[in-house]
Each structure stands twice: as structure tokens, then as C-alpha cells.
Amino acid sequence: MSLSPEDVPLAKAYRLLNHGPTVLVTSAHSGTRNVMAAAWAMPLDFQPPKVLVVIAAETFTRHLVEASGEFALNVPPRSLARATVEVGTVSGRSMDKFQQYRLKTFSAKCISAPLVEGCIAWLECKVIPNAYNQSQYDLFVAEVVSAQADPRVFADGRWKFEYASEDLRTIHHVAGGHFYSIGDVVNANQ
Ligand SMILES: Cc1cc2nc3c(=O)[nH]c(=O)nc-3n(C[C@H](O)[C@H](O)[C@H](O)COP(=O)(O)O)c2cc1C
């Protein structure tokens, strides 16, 4: 090792892994819909495909997800970075954030939560209830029941960001509304 590692305060350790794609969590129940940002979402299993996402207890999303047992993870590109911070900063408890931030939606295939137009991937999810994980860690495990992606950037089962506009790249939250967008290809097979 050429350089000595520097200690990272444990309170900041999560930031070392925090830059997976930030997502928009959409939800709906009894005619009410909502959207929030989430940086803490990741794949969990292949078959059946599962994901996990942290949805804090105080969010309105949490109420809608627990009531409906469903949510969608929408993957926003760079062009939606500002909207991502906006929907991640205010609560939808007393407003329709889709209208407020001019986010258009389209219908999901298998769930009632809407999908956000302009995103580059959409995963429709049904919660696998686990009261302990949900109450103790705000952690939701869900099965992915439908998935779609923008073919300009995801084709043949792979992301192809290098062939598309930079505006279509995923955004990765670091802290305080500061993101990186995904960078260069590194092909370890060549
Ligand atoms: C970039 C970003 C990432 C966020 N990640 C999460 C997350 O992973 N989990 C979470 O519970 N809240 C997260 N938040 C905060 C929620 O998006 C925020 O509390 C939101 O206002 C909740 O909205 P709601 O009350 O309408 O559901 C994030 C916010 C931002 C801006």
C-alpha cells in the first residue's frame, strides 16, 4: 500500500458506501400518492429478485408503504438531481410533491404507486413484511414484481452510459445535496 489509510469517524462510515444510485421511492394508498428520495436502497437477492430500502419512520412514504404493502424505486438521472433533493427535503403529508415539482408520472404495471417520467429505471416492489426490521431499523425488504429501464442507457441486461447523453447518468448522493454522476467504464476483462 503506497499511502497510509486515514481513519474515518464511525459516524461518517456509511458515506464510504453511500454512493450507489439515489432513487425516488413512490407510493400510493387510498387515492393519495407520494414520492421521496432515498440513498439507502440496494439489491438483496437474485431469484426471486429482492431489494431493500430504508424508509424513516417519520416520513409520509412510510405510512403509505405500510398501508399498501407496495412501493416503486425510480432511478433518476442527472437531469432530475434538483427534483430529487426537493422531494427529499419536504414531506408530502400536506402537499402533492408531483404537482409542486412538476414531476409527471405514468402507471405501474403491477402496483398502484405511480412511476416518475424522466427516470431511467423503475422497479415495482411488494413488501415482504418483517415487523422487527421495519420498527427497529426502518428497513423494508421487498420482492421486485416488475422492472423497466430506458433502453438508451440499459440494454442487453447492462447499463450502457458511455453511449448516451451525460444527462442520463445515475446520480450518487454524497452528502448535503452533493452528488456524483456515474463515471467512466472500467473493463476488468480486457
Ligand atoms: C439525497 C437524499 C437521500 C435520502 N435518502 C433517504 C433514505 O435513504 N431513507 C430515508 O428514509 N430518507 C431519505 N431521505 C430523506 C427523505 O427523502 C425525506 O425525509 C422526505 O422529505 C420524506 O418525504 P415524505 O414525508 O413525503 O415521505 C433522503 C433525502 C435526500 C435529499
Side-chain angles (χ1 to χ4, degrees), residues 22-23 34-41 53-62 84-93 97 138 173 177 179:
T22 299
V23 297
N34 196 32
V35 54
M36 72 167 232
W40 291 356
V53 59
V54 171
I55 304 174
E58 68 274 13
T59 62
F60 187 48
T61 298
R62 173 73 168 261
T84 300
V85 170
E86 287 169 337
V87 302
T89 307
V90 299
S91 180
R93 207 168 254 109
K97 287 194 262 184
D138 298 332
H173 192 237
F179 297 86

Side-chain angles (χ1 to χ4, degrees), residues 12-89:
K12 296 282 188 307
Y14 77 91
R15 290 189 177 173
L16 302 176
L17 297 176
N18 202 42
H19 50 296
T22 299
V23 297
L24 302 177
V25 183
T26 47
S27 51
H29 182 63
S30 284
T32 307
R33 59 186 189 158
N34 196 32
V35 54
M36 72 167 232
W40 291 356
M42 62 177 284
L44 178 67
D45 206 349
F46 295 114
Q47 198 54 16
K50 298 187 194 74
V51 292
L52 60 82
V53 59
V54 171
I55 304 174
E58 68 274 13
T59 62
F60 187 48
T61 298
R62 173 73 168 261
H63 166 72
L64 296 178
V65 168
E66 287 190 325
S68 64
E70 300 174 346
F71 60 82
L73 301 182
N74 306 252
V75 181
R78 222 162 127 148
S79 54
L80 288 178
R82 176 186 278 269
T84 300
V85 170
E86 287 169 337
V87 302
T89 307

Side-chain angles (χ1 to χ4, degrees), residues 10 25 39 42 48 54-55 71 112 126 143 149-150 168 177 181:
L10 287 182
V25 183
M42 62 177 284
V54 171
I55 304 174
F71 60 82
S112 54
K126 293 205 175 189
E143 183 173 338
D150 183 329
L168 291 173
S181 67

